[in-house]
Coordinates of all heavy atoms in Angstrom, one line a residue:
M1 N -72.3 3.8 69.7 CA -72.0 3.8 68.2 C -72.0 2.3 67.8 O -71.4 1.5 68.4 CB -70.6 4.4 68.0 CG -70.2 4.5 66.6 SD -68.7 5.4 66.4 CE -68.6 5.5 64.7
E2 N -72.8 2.1 66.7 CA -72.9 0.7 66.2 C -72.1 0.6 64.9 O -72.0 1.5 64.2 CB -74.4 0.4 66.0 CG -75.2 0.5 67.2 CD -76.7 0.3 67.0 OE1 -77.0 -0.5 66.0 OE2 -77.5 0.8 67.8
L3 N -71.6 -0.6 64.7 CA -70.7 -0.8 63.6 C -71.4 -0.5 62.2 O -70.7 0.0 61.3 CB -70.2 -2.3 63.6 CG -69.2 -2.6 64.6 CD1 -68.8 -4.1 64.5 CD2 -68.0 -1.8 64.5
H4 N -72.7 -0.8 62.1 CA -73.3 -0.5 60.8 C -73.5 1.0 60.5 O -73.8 1.4 59.4 CB -74.7 -1.2 60.7 CG -75.7 -0.6 61.6 ND1 -75.9 -1.0 63.0 CD2 -76.7 0.3 61.4 CE1 -76.9 -0.3 63.5 NE2 -77.4 0.5 62.6
Q5 N -73.3 1.9 61.6 CA -73.4 3.3 61.4 C -72.1 3.9 60.7 O -72.2 4.9 60.0 CB -73.7 4.0 62.7 CG -75.0 3.7 63.3 CD -75.2 4.2 64.7 OE1 -74.3 4.1 65.5 NE2 -76.4 4.7 65.0
T6 N -71.0 3.3 60.9 CA -69.8 3.9 60.4 C -69.7 3.9 58.9 O -69.3 5.0 58.3 CB -68.5 3.2 60.9 OG1 -68.6 1.8 60.7 CG2 -68.4 3.4 62.4
P7 N -70.1 2.9 58.1 CA -70.1 3.0 56.7 C -71.1 4.1 56.2 O -70.9 4.7 55.2 CB -70.5 1.6 56.2 CG -70.5 0.7 57.3 CD -70.5 1.5 58.5
L8 N -72.2 4.2 56.9 CA -73.2 5.2 56.6 C -72.6 6.6 56.7 O -72.8 7.5 55.8 CB -74.5 5.1 57.4 CG -75.2 3.7 57.3 CD1 -76.4 3.7 58.3 CD2 -75.6 3.4 55.9
L9 N -72.0 6.8 57.8 CA -71.3 8.1 58.1 C -70.3 8.4 57.0 O -70.2 9.5 56.4 CB -70.6 8.1 59.4 CG -69.9 9.4 59.8 CD1 -70.9 10.5 60.1 CD2 -69.1 9.2 61.1
S10 N -69.5 7.4 56.6 CA -68.5 7.6 55.6 C -69.1 7.9 54.2 O -68.7 8.7 53.5 CB -67.7 6.3 55.5 OG -66.7 6.4 54.5
A11 N -70.2 7.2 53.9 CA -70.9 7.4 52.6 C -71.4 8.8 52.5 O -71.3 9.5 51.5 CB -72.0 6.4 52.5
V12 N -72.0 9.3 53.6 CA -72.6 10.7 53.5 C -71.4 11.7 53.4 O -71.5 12.6 52.6 CB -73.4 11.0 54.8 CG1 -73.8 12.5 54.8 CG2 -74.6 10.1 54.9
A13 N -70.3 11.4 54.1 CA -69.2 12.3 54.0 C -68.6 12.3 52.6 O -68.2 13.4 52.1 CB -68.1 11.9 55.0
E14 N -68.5 11.2 52.0 CA -67.9 11.1 50.6 C -68.9 11.6 49.6 O -68.4 12.3 48.7 CB -67.6 9.6 50.3 CG -66.4 9.1 51.1 CD -66.3 7.6 51.0 OE1 -66.9 6.9 50.1 OE2 -65.5 7.0 51.7
Q15 N -70.1 11.3 49.7 CA -71.1 11.7 48.7 C -71.6 13.1 48.8 O -72.0 13.8 47.9 CB -72.4 10.8 48.7 CG -72.1 9.3 48.4 CD -71.8 9.1 46.9 OE1 -72.2 9.9 46.1 NE2 -70.9 8.1 46.6
G16 N -71.5 13.6 50.1 CA -72.0 15.0 50.4 C -73.5 15.2 50.2 O -74.0 16.3 50.1
N17 N -74.2 14.0 50.3 CA -75.6 14.0 50.1 C -76.2 12.8 50.7 O -75.7 11.7 50.4 CB -75.9 14.1 48.6 CG -77.3 14.1 48.2 OD1 -78.0 13.0 48.2 ND2 -77.8 15.2 47.8
F18 N -77.3 12.9 51.5 CA -77.9 11.8 52.1 C -78.5 10.8 51.1 O -78.5 9.6 51.3 CB -78.9 12.3 53.2 CG -78.3 12.7 54.5 CD1 -77.7 14.0 54.6 CD2 -78.3 11.9 55.6 CE1 -77.2 14.4 55.8 CE2 -77.7 12.3 56.8 CZ -77.1 13.6 56.9
T19 N -79.2 11.3 50.1 CA -79.9 10.5 49.2 C -78.9 9.6 48.4 O -79.1 8.4 48.2 CB -80.8 11.3 48.2 OG1 -81.7 12.0 49.0 CG2 -81.5 10.4 47.2
R20 N -77.8 10.2 47.9 CA -76.8 9.5 47.1 C -76.1 8.5 48.0 O -75.8 7.4 47.6 CB -75.9 10.4 46.4 CG -76.4 11.1 45.2 CD -75.4 11.8 44.4 NE -74.5 12.7 45.1 CZ -74.7 14.0 45.2 NH1 -75.8 14.6 44.6 NH2 -73.9 14.8 45.9
A21 N -75.9 8.9 49.3 CA -75.2 8.0 50.2 C -76.1 6.8 50.5 O -75.6 5.6 50.5 CB -74.9 8.7 51.5
A22 N -77.4 7.0 50.6 CA -78.3 5.9 50.9 C -78.3 4.9 49.7 O -78.3 3.7 49.9 CB -79.7 6.4 51.1
E23 N -78.3 5.5 48.5 CA -78.3 4.6 47.3 C -77.1 3.8 47.2 O -77.1 2.6 46.9 CB -78.4 5.5 46.0 CG -79.8 6.1 45.9 CD -79.9 7.2 44.8 OE1 -78.8 7.5 44.1 OE2 -81.0 7.7 44.6
S24 N -75.9 4.4 47.6 CA -74.7 3.7 47.5 C -74.6 2.6 48.6 O -73.8 1.6 48.4 CB -73.5 4.6 47.6 OG -73.3 5.1 48.9
C25 N -75.3 2.8 49.7 CA -75.3 1.8 50.8 C -76.5 0.8 50.7 O -76.6 -0.1 51.5 CB -75.4 2.5 52.1 SG -73.9 3.4 52.5
N26 N -77.3 1.0 49.6 CA -78.5 0.1 49.5 C -79.4 0.1 50.7 O -79.9 -0.9 51.1 CB -78.1 -1.3 49.1 CG -77.4 -1.4 47.8 OD1 -77.8 -0.8 46.8 ND2 -76.3 -2.1 47.7
V27 N -79.6 1.3 51.2 CA -80.6 1.5 52.3 C -81.5 2.7 51.9 O -81.2 3.4 51.0 CB -79.9 1.8 53.7 CG1 -79.1 0.7 54.1 CG2 -79.2 3.1 53.6
S28 N -82.6 2.8 52.6 CA -83.5 3.9 52.3 C -82.9 5.2 52.9 O -82.2 5.2 53.9 CB -84.9 3.7 52.8 OG -84.9 3.7 54.2
Q29 N -83.2 6.3 52.2 CA -82.8 7.6 52.8 C -83.3 7.9 54.1 O -82.5 8.3 55.0 CB -83.1 8.7 51.8 CG -82.6 10.1 52.1 CD -83.5 10.8 53.1 OE1 -84.7 10.7 52.9 NE2 -83.0 11.6 54.0
P30 N -84.6 7.6 54.4 CA -85.0 7.9 55.8 C -84.3 7.0 56.9 O -84.0 7.5 57.9 CB -86.5 7.5 55.8 CG -86.9 7.8 54.3 CD -85.7 7.3 53.5
S31 N -84.0 5.8 56.5 CA -83.3 4.9 57.4 C -81.9 5.4 57.7 O -81.4 5.5 58.8 CB -83.2 3.5 56.9 OG -82.4 2.7 57.7
L32 N -81.2 5.8 56.6 CA -79.8 6.4 56.8 C -79.9 7.7 57.6 O -79.1 7.8 58.5 CB -79.2 6.7 55.4 CG -77.8 7.2 55.4 CD1 -77.0 6.7 54.3 CD2 -77.8 8.8 55.3
S33 N -80.8 8.5 57.3 CA -80.9 9.8 58.1 C -81.2 9.5 59.6 O -80.6 10.2 60.4 CB -82.0 10.7 57.5 OG -81.7 11.1 56.2
Q34 N -82.0 8.5 59.8 CA -82.3 8.2 61.2 C -81.1 7.7 61.9 O -80.9 8.0 63.1 CB -83.5 7.2 61.3 CG -84.0 7.0 62.7 CD -84.5 8.2 63.4 OE1 -85.4 8.9 62.8 NE2 -84.0 8.6 64.5
Q35 N -80.3 6.8 61.3 CA -79.1 6.3 61.9 C -78.1 7.4 62.2 O -77.5 7.4 63.3 CB -78.5 5.3 61.0 CG -79.2 4.0 60.9 CD -79.4 3.3 62.2 OE1 -78.4 3.2 63.0 NE2 -80.6 2.8 62.5
I36 N -78.0 8.4 61.3 CA -77.1 9.5 61.6 C -77.6 10.3 62.7 O -76.9 10.8 63.6 CB -76.9 10.4 60.3 CG1 -76.2 9.5 59.2 CG2 -76.1 11.6 60.6 CD1 -74.8 9.0 59.5
L37 N -78.9 10.6 62.8 CA -79.5 11.3 63.9 C -79.3 10.6 65.2 O -79.0 11.2 66.2 CB -81.0 11.6 63.6 CG -81.4 12.6 62.6 CD1 -82.9 12.6 62.3 CD2 -80.9 14.0 63.0
N38 N -79.5 9.3 65.2 CA -79.2 8.5 66.4 C -77.8 8.6 66.9 O -77.5 8.8 68.1 CB -79.6 7.0 66.2 CG -81.0 6.7 66.0 OD1 -81.9 7.6 66.3 ND2 -81.4 5.6 65.5
L39 N -76.9 8.6 65.9 CA -75.5 8.7 66.3 C -75.2 10.1 66.8 O -74.5 10.2 67.8 CB -74.6 8.4 65.0 CG -73.1 8.4 65.2 CD1 -72.7 7.4 66.2 CD2 -72.5 8.1 63.8
E40 N -75.7 11.1 66.2 CA -75.5 12.5 66.7 C -76.1 12.6 68.1 O -75.5 13.2 69.0 CB -76.2 13.5 65.7 CG -75.5 13.6 64.4 CD -76.2 14.5 63.4 OE1 -77.4 14.6 63.5 OE2 -75.4 15.2 62.6
S41 N -77.3 12.0 68.3 CA -77.9 12.1 69.6 C -77.0 11.4 70.7 O -76.8 11.9 71.8 CB -79.3 11.5 69.6 OG -79.9 11.5 70.8
E42 N -76.5 10.2 70.3 CA -75.7 9.4 71.3 C -74.4 10.2 71.6 O -74.0 10.2 72.8 CB -75.4 8.1 70.6 CG -74.5 7.2 71.5 CD -74.2 5.9 70.8 OE1 -74.9 5.5 69.9 OE2 -73.2 5.3 71.2
L43 N -73.8 10.8 70.6 CA -72.5 11.5 70.8 C -72.7 13.0 71.4 O -71.8 13.5 71.9 CB -71.8 11.6 69.5 CG -71.3 10.3 68.9 CD1 -70.7 10.5 67.6 CD2 -70.4 9.6 69.9
G44 N -73.9 13.5 71.2 CA -74.2 14.8 71.7 C -73.6 15.9 70.8 O -73.4 17.1 71.3
H45 N -73.4 15.6 69.6 CA -72.8 16.6 68.6 C -73.4 16.4 67.2 O -73.6 15.2 66.8 CB -71.3 16.5 68.5 CG -70.5 16.8 69.7 ND1 -70.3 18.1 70.1 CD2 -70.0 16.0 70.7 CE1 -69.7 18.1 71.3 NE2 -69.4 16.8 71.6
K46 N -73.6 17.5 66.5 CA -74.0 17.4 65.1 C -72.7 16.9 64.3 O -71.6 17.4 64.6 CB -74.5 18.7 64.5 CG -75.8 19.1 65.1 CD -76.9 18.2 64.5 CE -78.3 18.7 65.0 NZ -79.3 17.7 64.7
L47 N -72.9 16.0 63.4 CA -71.8 15.5 62.6 C -71.8 16.1 61.2 O -70.7 16.0 60.6 CB -71.9 13.9 62.6 CG -71.8 13.2 63.9 CD1 -72.0 11.7 63.7 CD2 -70.5 13.5 64.6
F48 N -72.9 16.6 60.8 CA -73.0 17.2 59.5 C -73.7 18.5 59.5 O -74.6 18.7 60.3 CB -73.8 16.3 58.5 CG -73.1 15.0 58.2 CD1 -73.3 13.9 58.9 CD2 -72.1 15.0 57.1 CE1 -72.7 12.7 58.6 CE2 -71.5 13.8 56.8 CZ -71.7 12.7 57.5
H49 N -73.2 19.5 58.7 CA -73.9 20.7 58.4 C -74.8 20.3 57.3 O -74.4 19.8 56.2 CB -73.0 21.8 57.9 CG -72.0 22.3 59.0 ND1 -72.4 23.0 60.1 CD2 -70.7 22.2 59.0 CE1 -71.4 23.3 60.8 NE2 -70.3 22.8 60.2
R50 N -76.1 20.5 57.4 CA -77.1 20.2 56.4 C -77.4 21.5 55.6 O -78.0 22.4 56.2 CB -78.3 19.6 57.0 CG -78.1 18.2 57.5 CD -78.9 17.9 58.7 NE -78.8 16.5 59.1 CZ -78.0 16.0 60.0 NH1 -77.1 16.9 60.6 NH2 -77.9 14.8 60.4
L51 N -76.9 21.6 54.4 CA -77.0 22.8 53.6 C -77.9 22.5 52.4 O -77.4 22.2 51.3 CB -75.6 23.3 53.2 CG -74.5 23.4 54.3 CD1 -73.1 23.5 53.7 CD2 -74.9 24.5 55.2
G52 N -79.2 22.6 52.6 CA -80.1 22.2 51.5 C -79.9 20.7 51.3 O -80.1 19.9 52.2
R53 N -79.5 20.4 50.1 CA -79.3 19.0 49.8 C -77.9 18.5 50.0 O -77.5 17.4 49.8 CB -79.7 18.7 48.3 CG -81.2 18.9 48.1 CD -81.6 18.6 46.7 NE -83.0 18.9 46.6 CZ -83.8 18.3 45.7 NH1 -83.3 17.5 44.8 NH2 -85.0 18.6 45.6
R54 N -77.0 19.4 50.4 CA -75.6 19.1 50.7 C -75.4 18.8 52.2 O -76.1 19.3 53.0 CB -74.7 20.3 50.3 CG -74.6 20.5 48.8 CD -73.6 21.5 48.5 NE -72.3 21.3 49.1 CZ -71.6 22.2 49.7 NH1 -72.0 23.5 49.8 NH2 -70.4 21.9 50.3
A55 N -74.5 17.9 52.4 CA -74.1 17.5 53.8 C -72.6 17.6 53.9 O -71.9 17.0 53.1 CB -74.6 16.1 54.1
V56 N -72.1 18.4 54.8 CA -70.7 18.6 55.0 C -70.3 18.3 56.5 O -71.0 18.7 57.4 CB -70.3 20.1 54.7 CG1 -68.8 20.3 54.9 CG2 -70.7 20.5 53.3
L57 N -69.3 17.6 56.7 CA -68.9 17.2 58.0 C -68.6 18.4 58.9 O -68.0 19.4 58.4 CB -67.6 16.3 58.0 CG -67.7 14.9 57.6 CD1 -66.4 14.2 57.4 CD2 -68.5 14.1 58.7
T58 N -69.0 18.4 60.1 CA -68.7 19.4 61.1 C -67.3 19.1 61.7 O -66.7 18.1 61.4 CB -69.7 19.4 62.2 OG1 -69.7 18.2 62.9 CG2 -71.1 19.7 61.7
E59 N -66.9 19.9 62.6 CA -65.6 19.6 63.3 C -65.7 18.3 64.0 O -64.8 17.5 64.0 CB -65.2 20.8 64.2 CG -64.7 22.0 63.5 CD -64.3 23.1 64.5 OE1 -63.6 22.7 65.5 OE2 -64.5 24.2 64.2
A60 N -66.9 18.1 64.7 CA -67.1 16.9 65.4 C -67.1 15.7 64.5 O -66.5 14.6 64.8 CB -68.4 16.9 66.2
G61 N -67.7 15.8 63.3 CA -67.7 14.7 62.3 C -66.3 14.4 61.8 O -65.9 13.3 61.7
N62 N -65.5 15.5 61.6 CA -64.1 15.2 61.1 C -63.3 14.6 62.2 O -62.5 13.7 62.0 CB -63.5 16.6 60.8 CG -63.8 17.0 59.3 OD1 -63.7 16.1 58.4 ND2 -64.0 18.2 59.1
A63 N -63.5 15.0 63.5 CA -62.8 14.4 64.6 C -63.2 12.9 64.7 O -62.3 12.1 64.9 CB -63.1 15.1 65.9
L64 N -64.4 12.6 64.6 CA -64.8 11.2 64.7 C -64.2 10.4 63.5 O -63.7 9.3 63.8 CB -66.4 11.1 64.6 CG -66.9 9.7 64.7 CD1 -66.5 9.0 65.9 CD2 -68.4 9.7 64.5
R65 N -64.2 10.9 62.4 CA -63.6 10.3 61.2 C -62.1 10.0 61.4 O -61.6 9.0 61.1 CB -63.9 11.1 59.9 CG -63.6 10.3 58.7 CD -64.1 11.1 57.5 NE -64.0 10.2 56.4 CZ -64.2 10.6 55.1 NH1 -64.5 11.8 54.9 NH2 -64.1 9.7 54.1
E66 N -61.4 11.0 62.0 CA -60.0 10.9 62.2 C -59.7 10.0 63.4 O -58.6 9.4 63.5 CB -59.4 12.3 62.5 CG -59.4 13.1 61.2 CD -59.0 14.6 61.5 OE1 -58.6 14.9 62.6 OE2 -59.0 15.4 60.6
T67 N -60.6 9.8 64.3 CA -60.4 9.0 65.5 C -60.1 7.6 65.2 O -59.3 6.9 65.7 CB -61.6 9.1 66.5 OG1 -61.7 10.5 66.9 CG2 -61.3 8.3 67.7
N68 N -60.9 7.0 64.2 CA -60.8 5.6 63.9 C -60.9 5.5 62.3 O -61.9 5.1 61.8 CB -61.9 4.8 64.5 CG -61.6 3.4 64.6 OD1 -60.6 2.9 63.9 ND2 -62.4 2.6 65.3
P69 N -59.8 5.9 61.7 CA -59.9 6.0 60.2 C -60.1 4.6 59.5 O -60.7 4.6 58.4 CB -58.5 6.6 59.8 CG -57.7 6.4 61.0 CD -58.5 6.3 62.2
T70 N -59.8 3.5 60.1 CA -60.0 2.2 59.5 C -61.5 1.9 59.3 O -61.9 1.1 58.5 CB -59.4 1.1 60.3 OG1 -59.9 1.0 61.6 CG2 -57.8 1.3 60.3
D71 N -62.4 2.6 60.1 CA -63.8 2.4 60.0 C -64.4 3.1 58.8 O -65.5 2.9 58.4 CB -64.5 2.8 61.3 CG -64.3 1.9 62.4 OD1 -64.0 0.7 62.2 OD2 -64.5 2.3 63.6
F72 N -63.6 4.1 58.3 CA -64.1 4.9 57.2 C -63.4 4.8 55.9 O -63.3 5.7 55.1 CB -64.1 6.4 57.7 CG -64.9 6.6 59.0 CD1 -64.2 6.6 60.2 CD2 -66.2 6.8 58.9 CE1 -64.9 6.8 61.4 CE2 -66.9 7.0 60.1 CZ -66.3 7.0 61.3
V73 N -62.9 3.6 55.6 CA -62.2 3.4 54.4 C -63.2 3.0 53.3 O -64.2 2.4 53.5 CB -61.1 2.3 54.6 CG1 -60.5 2.0 53.3 CG2 -60.1 2.7 55.6

């Protein structure tokens, strides 16, 4: 897990959408999506349910967010 991935994870969780999260983080949507996919691959768990254009944290995503809440402020 890399430090620059935590704000991206938080932004997607808050926005509920990869495109809006990318805009709020001033990164491209493909870059943000790739970082989340890399994190999911590294952890071996899906962190978001992708529901059309919506993104909702999975149990694993919630657990990660609760594990180190100062990273997701």
Side-chain angles (χ1 to χ4, degrees):
M1 183 172 188
E2 298 178 29
L3 287 178
H4 70 274
Q5 292 170 322
T6 56
L8 301 178
L9 179 69
S10 181
V12 176
E14 291 171 10
Q15 297 290 329
N17 179 284
F18 280 79
T19 301
R20 286 193 305 264
E23 290 170 359
S24 73
C25 293
N26 295 315
V27 299
S28 70
Q29 184 273 325
S31 175
L32 182 140
S33 293
Q34 188 59 54
Q35 289 300 316
I36 297 297
L37 287 171
N38 290 346
L39 184 56
E40 289 176 330
S41 178
E42 181 181 335
L43 298 173
H45 293 284
K46 290 289 183 190
L47 300 175
F48 291 95
H49 294 291
R50 289 147 173 93
L51 310 167
R53 294 181 182 205
R54 288 187 51 225
V56 179
L57 282 170
T58 62
E59 286 185 41
N62 275 319
L64 178 60
R65 194 171 189 189
E66 291 173 4
T67 300
N68 199 351
T70 59
D71 287 339
F72 300 98
V73 175

